[in-house]
Amino acid sequence: MFISVHLWFRLMRKLFYWKLKAREIKLGERTAILGVLNVTPDSFSDGGKYQDPDRAFARALQLEEQGADIIDIGAESTRPESARISAAEELRRLIPVLKRLRGALTIPISVDTYKAEVAERALEHGAEIINDPTGLTFEAQLARVVSNHDAGLILNHMRGRPETWAKLAPLPDVMGHIVRDLEATVSRARHTGIDRSRIVVDPGLGFGKRKEQNSAILARLHELAGLDLPILTGPSRKSFLAHPTERETLFATAAAVAAAILGGAHLVRVHDVLEMRAVADVADEILRQAPGQ
């Protein structure tokens, strides 16, 4: 029985050592899970649930216990049509949570922000990774902050702005566009002094892409391997997976997570860590059994 060269390539996942502010994470043998912790009033799926620092603290501990490898904290919503908030407001939501969590987790904290001021304060309060949802397109100086702190950096592909996504026309070659944009974004980060060993790329599912294009991104995710960097995807509860009930949407998310891992993702960003850890474990075992592994 023979496997096509194309499929064989897709079932290979290169090993990387991701350097963070205070540690190094091996990526590729086992899918790393980023557990989402939104401390916002308006996030699309869990807005308001963890605004209270005590509840956010308890949730972070629960996510670690359920199998998260990283806690990814967001204090500003990037849902479609959401409005931007000031750095002061973002810090008002974020800093009390970081203060509570400092020293309480054994896993690193990532902060989801595009603001240089917020990134600076977050890294000072114990965060080790900055997850920029805009890929340095809103505040390019964020890269300098990350470089100064020797932190990890996730570069997400965003097309347009959340308040304009509904008006954007579909891209004729969505994955080709993403690869080119991320290549340019990585180049900007490198020119700021950030070492490649600190960078992860994310194609930005849902971030300015039409519904059907997100499936195309997952189908062609292996094309990002050409950037020679670890790959993160965040399909969890995205609108292109929406079903009539939460349970059905959970299963749809599970399918997208499995597809992403088999397509080469090293990390997945999810809300339902317990369930997606099980999905990732099975997908990882399939990868281990693929020819050439």
Side-chain angles (χ1 to χ4, degrees):
M1 184 175 182
F2 296 95
I3 187 167
S4 72
V5 173
H6 178 67
L7 181 57
W8 188 350
F9 175 74
R10 291 184 61 176
L11 291 176
M12 296 181 70
R13 186 167 59 177
K14 183 176 177 179
L15 292 180
F16 291 95
Y17 292 87
W18 190 19
K19 292 184 179 178
L20 309 184
K21 187 177 180 181
R23 70 189 87 192
E24 186 175 80
I25 299 178
K26 188 176 184 180
L27 299 174
E29 283 186 349
R30 172 181 179 271
T31 302
I33 290 185
L34 279 74
V36 176
L37 178 60
N38 287 320
V39 293
T40 58
D42 57 345
S43 290
F44 67 91
S45 69
D46 55 1
K49 288 182 69 175
Y50 305 111
Q51 274 187 280
D52 178 75
D54 290 336
R55 294 187 69 182
F57 175 81
R59 178 59 174 164
L61 295 183
Q62 181 185 46
L63 290 172
E64 180 180 28
E65 183 179 347
Q66 290 179 344
D69 299 287
I70 298 166
I71 302 297
D72 190 54
I73 306 176
E76 177 178 4
S77 175
T78 50
R79 63 179 174 79
E81 300 183 4
S82 58
R84 301 306 97 224
I85 63 173
S86 67
E89 173 60 20
E90 191 172 351
L91 287 167
R92 185 191 68 79
R93 300 172 183 178
L94 177 66
I95 296 303
V97 178
L98 290 178
K99 286 181 175 179
R100 288 292 312 276
L101 287 173
R102 192 159 199 171
L105 300 170
T106 63
I107 59 176
I109 292 173
S110 166
V111 169
D112 190 326
T113 188
Y114 58 84
K115 298 185 183 75
E117 180 182 350
V118 174
E120 181 82 49
R121 293 285 304 281
L123 293 167
E124 289 171 353
H125 282 81
E128 296 184 49
I129 303 162
I130 297 299
N131 182 4
D132 180 1
T134 75
L136 304 178
T137 59
F138 285 16
E139 291 194 19
Q141 61 268 39
L142 179 97
R144 179 62 61 190
V145 172
V146 171
S147 178
N148 289 343
H149 284 270
D150 291 327
L153 177 62
I154 299 170
L155 294 172
N156 183 88
H157 182 273
M158 180 185 286
R159 183 172 175 240
R161 303 174 71 93
E163 55 268 36
T164 66
W165 286 345
K167 301 174 184 178
L168 294 176
L171 289 168
D173 177 17
V174 64
M175 201 58 188
H177 189 95
I178 289 170
V179 171
R180 289 189 295 273
D181 281 357
L182 283 176
E183 187 172 30
T185 300
V186 169
S187 179
R188 290 197 300 273
R190 295 282 293 112
H191 280 112
T192 310
I194 300 174
D195 192 84
R196 289 184 66 86
S197 63
R198 299 189 180 277
I199 299 173
V200 165
V201 292
D202 183 336
L205 293 169
F207 280 37
K209 291 86 172 177
R210 293 294 182 89
K211 180 178 180 180
E212 66 281 0
Q213 291 185 314
N214 293 289
S215 297
I217 292 168
L218 288 173
R220 297 173 58 187
L221 191 66
H222 62 282
E223 294 178 28
L224 277 179
L227 296 178
D228 197 29
L229 290 165
I231 300 166
L232 165 70
T233 59
S236 184
R237 301 183 185 175
K238 289 291 176 72
S239 59
F240 79 98
L241 298 173
H243 279 68
T245 69
E246 287 187 12
R247 179 175 170 81
E248 289 173 288
T249 300
L250 179 65
F251 282 115
T253 294
V257 166
I261 294 169
L262 295 177
H266 297 79
L267 311 94
V268 291
R269 182 179 181 274
V270 300
H271 299 79
D272 304 290
V273 169
L274 185 66
E275 293 85 351
M276 297 309 129
R277 179 73 270 165
V279 172
D281 288 346
V282 172
D284 286 345
E285 181 58 27
I286 293 170
L287 281 179
R288 279 190 287 272
Q289 298 301 322
Q293 295 299 299

